[in-house]
Amino acid sequence: MVAEALVEYDELFQRFRFVHLQLIHRSIGLGSESLKGRSVRALKRRPSRPLFPELWEIRHQMTDSWGAQYGRVRDSIGGH
């Protein structure tokens, strides 16, 4: 239950980052400097980076394992 709650938190935080980036894009543009003097481009790199990559990787492994039990063998969705 704890791992599932952390994955949900991670997903929600990634959504927040994406929405925040869209807000910046709409309000000041992605090519400008933020109010704190940092490039807005730094925000573009962050939305896809999970907080708990290990938990996502475990989910990929579980999915691959379940698929193998049913005779479905394919390339791993975890990229490994």
Side-chain angles (χ1 to χ4, degrees):
M1 288 176 27
V2 172
E4 194 61 31
L6 288 172
V7 167
E8 183 174 357
Y9 177 79
D10 194 335
E11 180 182 350
L12 292 172
F13 194 70
Q14 288 181 57
R15 286 184 193 185
F16 163 76
R17 286 176 170 168
F18 177 77
V19 170
H20 182 249
L21 180 63
Q22 293 303 105
L23 173 70
I24 297 300
H25 181 57
R26 187 175 62 227
S27 60
I28 66 173
L30 294 179
S32 35
E33 299 291 324
S34 73
L35 297 176
K36 295 180 182 175
R38 287 187 231 155
S39 172
V40 175
R41 286 184 206 94
L43 290 174
K44 286 179 74 172
R45 291 189 296 267
R46 295 186 181 174
S48 62
R49 190 177 307 157
L51 296 173
F52 307 110
E54 297 87 358
L55 293 176
W56 292 103
E57 179 59 33
I58 289 169
R59 182 165 302 232
H60 297 162
Q61 292 171 7
M62 288 168 53
T63 301
D64 290 342
S65 175
W66 292 331
Q69 289 178 8
Y70 294 102
R72 298 185 62 119
V73 179
R74 58 173 173 68
D75 292 336
S76 173
I77 61 175
H80 301 289

